[in-house]
Amino acid sequence: MGEFDLIARYFTRPVRKAALGVGDDCALLAPAPGMQLAVSSDMLVEGRHFFADVDPEALGHKALAVNLSDLAACGARPLAFTLALSLPRVDEAWLAGFARGLLALADAHGCELVGGDTTQGPLNICITVLGEVPPGQALLRSGAQPGDDIYVSGTLGDARLALEALLGHTPLPADTLARVRQRLERPTPRVALGQALRGVASSAMDLSDGLLGDLSHILKASGVGARIDTHITSNLIAESAYPSSATALFDAELIRQCTLAGGDDYELAFTAPPARRDAVAAVSQASGTSVTRIGTVLAEPGLQLVDAQGQAVEHRYASFDHFR
Ligand code: ADP
Ligand code: MG
């Protein structure tokens, strides 16, 4: 199978919203008049972001999910995406699975595949996603104000726990691994929550490299500091909710590592004034996404971690950095 047959079979479908989709030199989009375009790219590299033997359907899902998560963080509505794919060889079973996972998530969010590029080489997936947002309403990292509440959506740390197990660092029972692995391999982009937070949140971002490291980007962009309640964040590891959970056996340190510096959570972290607590609760309800208040924005720079007694917790949780 050649390059163009491959594109035709796996990545070409009738256009829906786009004016022109796959097949010409450019795709043509017809954005709603007056809207701003939100644009973001994320690349997934074999051996760096995923294991070579990962289920291709899960990989297709994750490749788009991490991009949709960026749109969610900005409060944008997904429109379309392009797919740049480098493949070592044509493996039809792999391609069919990959396309199934990718396009199922695309359909769930009305986000249309409109073009891309296909080449032979090491397995590498780069998606560029486009969304729309009313002018001036995008959620940014720079709006956090002293006194604001700090929230995160969903759960934290399960993806990291899965990674630790898959790397052989932390043994996990099979049923536990199966659950946390879902969070690593099939993250849920918080697209509805992000859009509903427009006009409510003062700042937002998505969590890809670990809560504390990512939060520090909001703090820096906003020129503020924060206090985070680690007894609350430690309980956000979903696995601890299972009666049979192995997390009951783990020391608090591992749980803190996973929840504070885990990475691959793809939840939203955001801030909002205390006067908007009811609005945040309503947004959470309307979007069907749990949110938890985990701390407070402070005027003085720096990140303070406290335990249930309000005592300082030592902060030595580095976030993921490809070049460190
Ligand atoms: P060009 O050489 O003009 O850039 P290509 O020959 O690379 O175009 O691609 C042909 C068409 O197929 C283009 O419309 C391109 O956007 C699309 N395309 C290529 N690879 C992919 C892919 N992996 N997924 C979706 N569309 C693709
Ligand atoms: Mg090309």
Side-chain angles (χ1 to χ4, degrees), residues 240-296:
S240 64
Y242 289 88
S244 63
S245 172
T247 59
L249 308 173
F250 295 154
D251 63 354
E253 180 50 35
L254 176 62
I255 300 296
R256 274 205 287 266
Q257 180 72 39
C258 288
T259 52
L260 296 176
D264 267 341
D265 292 309
Y266 298 104
E267 295 294 351
L268 297 186
F270 61 95
T271 59
R276 314 292 330 249
R277 279 184 194 167
D278 288 348
V280 170
V283 155
S284 163
Q285 181 97 35
S287 62
T289 310
S290 68
V291 305
T292 306
R293 188 151 49 86
I294 61 163
T296 306

Side-chain angles (χ1 to χ4, degrees), residues 22-296:
V22 170
D24 213 306
D25 291 303
C26 290
L28 297 173
L29 303 179
M35 295 294 255
Q36 285 184 327
L37 272 185
V39 184
S40 182
S41 296
D42 257 308
M43 183 153 67
L44 267 65
V45 176
E46 182 185 292
R48 185 100 296 247
H49 300 96
F50 59 91
F51 299 108
D53 63 351
V54 72
D55 169 22
E57 191 167 341
L59 186 60
H61 172 99
K62 184 165 181 175
L64 183 59
V66 304
N67 280 275
L68 292 175
S69 180
D70 285 313
L71 288 185
C74 287
R77 189 168 75 89
L79 287 179
F81 69 105
T82 62
L83 169 68
L85 199 55
S86 166
L87 296 170
R89 71 198 79 81
V90 175
D91 174 342
E92 291 214 53
W94 190 94
L95 277 163
F98 178 81
R100 204 162 47 240
L102 178 84
L103 296 175
L105 186 66
D107 289 348
H109 291 281
C111 191
E112 195 171 2
L113 176 58
V114 294
D117 197 24
T118 306
T119 169
Q120 209 227 324
L123 184 56
N124 188 336
I125 303 152
C126 184
I127 288 180
T128 296
V129 79
L130 299 134
E132 65 180 11
V133 63
Q137 289 189 36
L139 302 173
L140 305 179
R141 299 177 177 189
S142 52
Q145 298 288 328
D148 281 357
D149 295 320
I150 303 172
Y151 299 86
V152 290
S153 65
T155 62
L156 296 175
D158 297 277
R160 174 63 176 267
L161 191 56
L163 182 65
E164 293 293 322
L166 294 171
L167 290 172
H169 300 164
T170 305
L172 288 181
D175 59 330
T176 301
L177 178 58
R179 285 192 293 263
V180 293
R181 199 173 180 160
Q182 281 291 108
R183 288 284 292 155
L184 175 67
E185 295 181 353
R186 300 188 62 95
T188 305
R190 302 302 186 184
V191 175
L193 176 67
Q195 288 171 80
L197 283 172
R198 293 197 307 242
V200 174
S202 52
S203 72
M205 71 176 298
D206 71 319
L207 300 178
S208 51
D209 297 333
L211 173 67
L212 297 187
D214 284 338
L215 197 58
S216 71
H217 297 305
I218 285 187
L219 302 184
K220 195 166 173 213
S222 301
V224 294
R227 185 180 58 244
I228 299 296
D229 295 312
T230 61
H231 59 289
I232 298 178
T233 51
S234 284
N235 282 324
L236 287 178
I237 188 157
E239 188 50 32
S240 64
Y242 289 88
S244 63
S245 172
T247 59
L249 308 173
F250 295 154
D251 63 354
E253 180 50 35
L254 176 62
I255 300 296
R256 274 205 287 266
Q257 180 72 39
C258 288
T259 52
L260 296 176
D264 267 341
D265 292 309
Y266 298 104
E267 295 294 351
L268 297 186
F270 61 95
T271 59
R276 314 292 330 249
R277 279 184 194 167
D278 288 348
V280 170
V283 155
S284 163
Q285 181 97 35
S287 62
T289 310
S290 68
V291 305
T292 306
R293 188 151 49 86
I294 61 163
T296 306

